[in-house]
């Protein structure tokens, strides 16, 4: 059974940085995709960044150049380094994972970690 536990959220002023981490268990084999999604109040969930077993990454246009996703396969830990944060980055951030490519659906979700950026 796949379990994902996020950490690293918090409050920061605009222009600041945060690093999110996601510890994955039961998910250390096979071709897989892991990523970060976010949902702000009243808005739909948005895909922020994904990475697959080949190390290929994909980012939402709104975060390109500011966020970096990485995967430590030895520790089965996914990270998201967020820099130059903006108030519009405020949301609940969720770690997600699935077997297969990042273009598929049916992700397993963590419980989320809140990121709040003040102006």
């Amino acid at each position: 059974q796949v379990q994902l536990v996020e950490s690293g959220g918090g409050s920061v002023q605009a222009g600041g940085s945060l690093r999110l981490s996601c510890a994955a268990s039961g998910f250390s084999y096979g071709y897989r995709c892991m990523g970060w999604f976010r949902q702000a109040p009243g808005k739909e969930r948005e895909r922020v960044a994904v990475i697959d077993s080949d190390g290929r990454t994909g980012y939402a246009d709104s975060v390109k150049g500011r966020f970096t996703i990485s995967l430590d396969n030895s520790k089965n830990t996914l990270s998201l380094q967020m820099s130059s944060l903006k108030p519009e980055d405020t949301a609940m951030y969720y770690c997600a994972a699935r077997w297969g490519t990042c273009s598929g659906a049916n992700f397993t979700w963590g419980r989320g970690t809140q990121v709040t950026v003040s102006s």
Side-chain angles (χ1 to χ4, degrees):
Q1 183 178 0
V2 177
Q3 290 188 323
L4 305 170
V5 179
E6 303 96 335
S7 62
S11 297
V12 64
Q13 289 190 329
S17 299
L18 281 174
R19 185 178 182 87
L20 305 184
S21 294
C22 172
S25 59
F27 197 67
S28 59
Y29 60 92
Y31 194 92
R32 57 199 184 276
C33 172
M34 296 188 73
W36 292 96
F37 292 70
R38 67 186 180 187
Q39 187 167 21
K43 294 188 177 182
E44 293 187 355
R45 186 168 55 199
E46 172 190 22
R47 189 168 85 165
V48 176
V50 293
I51 185 168
D52 66 18
S53 292
D54 290 331
R56 291 177 295 193
T57 59
Y59 295 91
D61 288 341
S62 58
V63 306
K64 281 181 181 177
R66 300 189 298 122
F67 290 11
T68 302
I69 190 170
S70 60
L71 177 62
D72 185 334
N73 285 304
S74 65
K75 297 180 180 179
N76 225 20
T77 299
L78 180 73
S79 298
L80 184 69
Q81 179 66 46
M82 305 185 293
S83 303
S84 302
L85 283 162
K86 304 175 181 180
E88 50 264 43
D89 294 319
T90 295
M92 183 71 78
Y93 283 70
Y94 298 91
C95 176
R98 71 181 302 275
W99 277 278
T101 67
C102 290
S103 60
N106 299 322
F107 281 86
T108 295
W109 302 94
R111 292 188 175 184
T113 185
Q114 178 68 38
V115 171
T116 302
V117 184
S118 57
S119 58

